Amino acid sequence: MAMGIAVKPILQTLAGQTGTVPPVWIMRQAGRYLPEYRALRKGAASFVEFCLNPKMASEATLQPLSRFDLDAAIVFADILLIPYAMDRDVHFVAGEGPKMRPLDRKEPLSQLEKVWSLEKVDAIGETLQRVRDKLPQNVTLIGFAGAPWTVATYMVEGGGSKDKWQSRLWAWQEPEQFDALLDILTEASIEYLHMQAKAGAEVLKLFESWAEGLPAPFFDRFIIRPARNIVSGLRQRGVDLPIIGFPRGCGTQAARYAKETGITAIALDQAQDGLWFNEHLDPSMVVQGNLDPAVLRVGGTPLQSEVERIKQSFAGRPHIFNLGHGITPDTPPEHVRELIDLVKNIP
Ligand code: CP3
């Protein structure tokens, strides 16, 4: 073992430390805006195969770190690997995004539990171990899963969709059955995140990318309850890692999410006003966010003033700088360097 205590700014911030220079990483930092990712990706026949190949996935995880002074690495994987492991025929169609066999309400949900096995996604543990072995000592390794509602919408709709209509109809028409579906995804997510913690993840993140548009009682039932169950399920299994929750698009409901789920940090999207949240969140709640990915694409003066504004809006609170959603494939990599310089060098 190497001697000396590694100083990891993200872990310090998640432990409640504040400072003038927030640590920084970028949502979707490994991906198509990097030419070296696009080249590596050609080595696998399908996206799922790529995710399940620890050699390629660990290389993709580390790629952004060799270019940029980032404070975190996020394991290269996807939120749809759980439906993949439930035999939903998950595949990615170029230009169209993810597709899978839609869940029919008449199918017995017990079938999902029966076919699910952690072994089908074991490779992610090996990716984490490989990355941990090569990680610079100031960099924090993040593991993740999709949150149950978001994953369920892909399963019910058979892919991405604008308004999650079939999922919302199901939730109104058969709420108990919908709870049961979310409970199955909750259990699988607990096992999957527990495995990632054992394999070397130092922080866990829950991506609730489609938390928008739900009335308050549904937000409590289908978003807050499963997140709280995942957090408590992990704690019961002895996982004491910090957990970041990202209920994207839910506006001020994120304050309730932060308070009621037991998460360590709340990731905000760009539409959520930092000043409002600074006032309404418990002072000990860590925040992550929330630069508009479009201003990162633009760069220059608008980027500089946004970085300043966001840093100021969270002043005095533990803050991890990040985007409000994923970096887009058309963003010049140079802008990421510019962003990191601004975060670290603007007082
Ligand atoms: O650095 C990283 O963050 C890479 C790891 C990562 C991926 N997906 C790789 C990926 C992570 C953390 C995700 C999370 C993810 N996946 C989310 C939550 C975050 C968010 O953006 O809201 C969601 C909703 C998905 C589902 C998903 N996967 C979609 C909708 C798509 C297609 C759209 C797109 O961005 O292309 C994917 C495919 C995907 N996942 C790609 C990558 C790099 C692109 C496919 C490819 O490179 O071949």
Side-chain angles (χ1 to χ4, degrees):
M1 277 303 277
M3 288 292 130
I5 298 162
V7 178
K8 302 209 176 200
I10 290 203
L11 293 181
Q12 291 179 318
T13 301
L14 286 166
Q17 219 178 82
T18 57
T20 49
V21 178
V24 55
W25 66 282
I26 310 276
M27 249 186 271
R28 299 287 202 104
Q29 63 188 28
R32 285 164 302 176
Y33 75 106
L34 291 176
E36 59 271 32
Y37 169 79
R38 296 196 298 268
L40 183 65
R41 172 69 185 78
K42 290 193 179 118
S46 74
F47 180 69
V48 171
E49 253 175 66
F50 186 85
C51 288
L52 297 178
N53 180 318
K55 194 169 176 295
M56 288 199 242
S58 58
E59 195 179 329
T61 306
L62 291 163
Q63 279 177 339
L65 301 179
S66 42
R67 274 187 187 249
F68 311 119
D69 185 12
L70 291 158
D71 292 298
I74 181 159
V75 67
F76 196 93
D78 198 85
I79 66 161
L80 301 178
L81 291 180
I82 286 185
Y84 160 80
M86 291 179 171
D87 289 349
R88 301 314 297 176
D89 183 32
V90 172
H91 54 284
F92 290 79
V93 182
E96 282 185 54
K99 299 277 175 223
M100 69 190 79
R101 178 160 42 86
L103 200 58
D104 188 319
R105 276 196 236 179
K106 289 182 223 76
E107 283 180 62
L109 291 174
S110 56
Q111 189 59 21
L112 295 174
E113 271 174 307
K114 223 177 281 165
V115 297
W116 154 256
S117 108
L118 189 59
E119 277 166 37
K120 293 180 191 154
V121 287
D122 258 357
I124 306 309
E126 198 186 324
T127 302
L128 283 158
Q129 282 161 8
R130 281 174 179 249
V131 173
R132 264 309 276 275
D133 289 344
K134 294 185 187 147
L135 205 63
Q137 62 165 4
N138 62 312
V139 176
T140 300
L141 181 55
I142 303 175
F144 72 93
W149 162 264
T150 290
V151 174
T153 66
Y154 284 97
M155 293 173 78
V156 172
E157 313 290 333
S161 80
K162 209 171 95 317
D163 51 17
K164 325 292 171 246
W165 190 246
Q166 294 306 324
S167 316
R168 286 159 58 205
L169 293 182
W170 186 343
W172 280 112
Q173 288 169 329
E174 292 170 279
E176 282 86 18
Q177 198 198 24
F178 204 77
D179 283 334
L181 170 59
L182 297 189
D183 286 346
I184 290 168
L185 292 170
T186 295
E187 277 313 306
S189 304
I190 293 168
E191 277 182 46
Y192 181 51
L193 289 167
H194 181 213
M195 179 275 282
Q196 292 186 46
K198 285 190 293 185
E202 300 170 287
V203 171
L204 300 172
K205 181 166 175 184
L206 209 48
F207 282 95
E208 188 74 275
S209 299
W210 301 110
E212 62 204 37
L214 293 182
F218 272 13
F219 188 81
D220 291 346
R221 182 167 180 167
F222 301 128
I223 304 258
I224 290 186
R225 189 184 76 96
R228 190 171 52 227
N229 287 343
I230 289 174
V231 173
S232 65
L234 287 166
R235 300 301 182 228
Q236 275 161 25
R237 282 168 180 75
V239 176
D240 60 1
L241 301 180
I243 300 173
I244 304 173
F246 178 47
R248 191 181 73 86
C250 70
T252 55
Q253 288 180 314
R256 258 194 5 268
Y257 183 98
K259 195 173 174 176
E260 295 172 15
T261 55
I263 55 166
T264 320
I266 182 95
L268 300 176
D269 67 58
Q270 64 272 14
Q272 291 168 319
D273 178 13
L275 290 174
W276 189 91
F277 279 93
N278 222 7
E279 205 174 297
H280 289 86
L281 292 173
D282 187 278
S284 66
M285 180 52 57
V286 182
V287 295
Q288 178 179 282
N290 63 345
L291 186 84
D292 186 351
V295 80
L296 181 61
R297 164 69 185 80
V298 169
T301 314
L303 177 62
Q304 177 168 348
S305 53
E306 270 303 274
V307 171
E308 276 186 64
R309 184 185 68 81
I310 289 166
K311 280 177 70 169
Q312 278 162 15
S313 65
F314 296 120
R317 174 183 292 280
H319 174 214
I320 300 168
F321 202 99
N322 204 315
L323 309 187
H325 201 195
I327 184 171
T328 55
D330 60 346
T331 302
E334 264 314 302
H335 291 192
V336 173
R337 188 181 320 281
E338 210 177 306
L339 168 64
I340 294 167
D341 281 348
L342 289 168
V343 172
K344 301 208 172 188
N345 300 322
I346 293 181

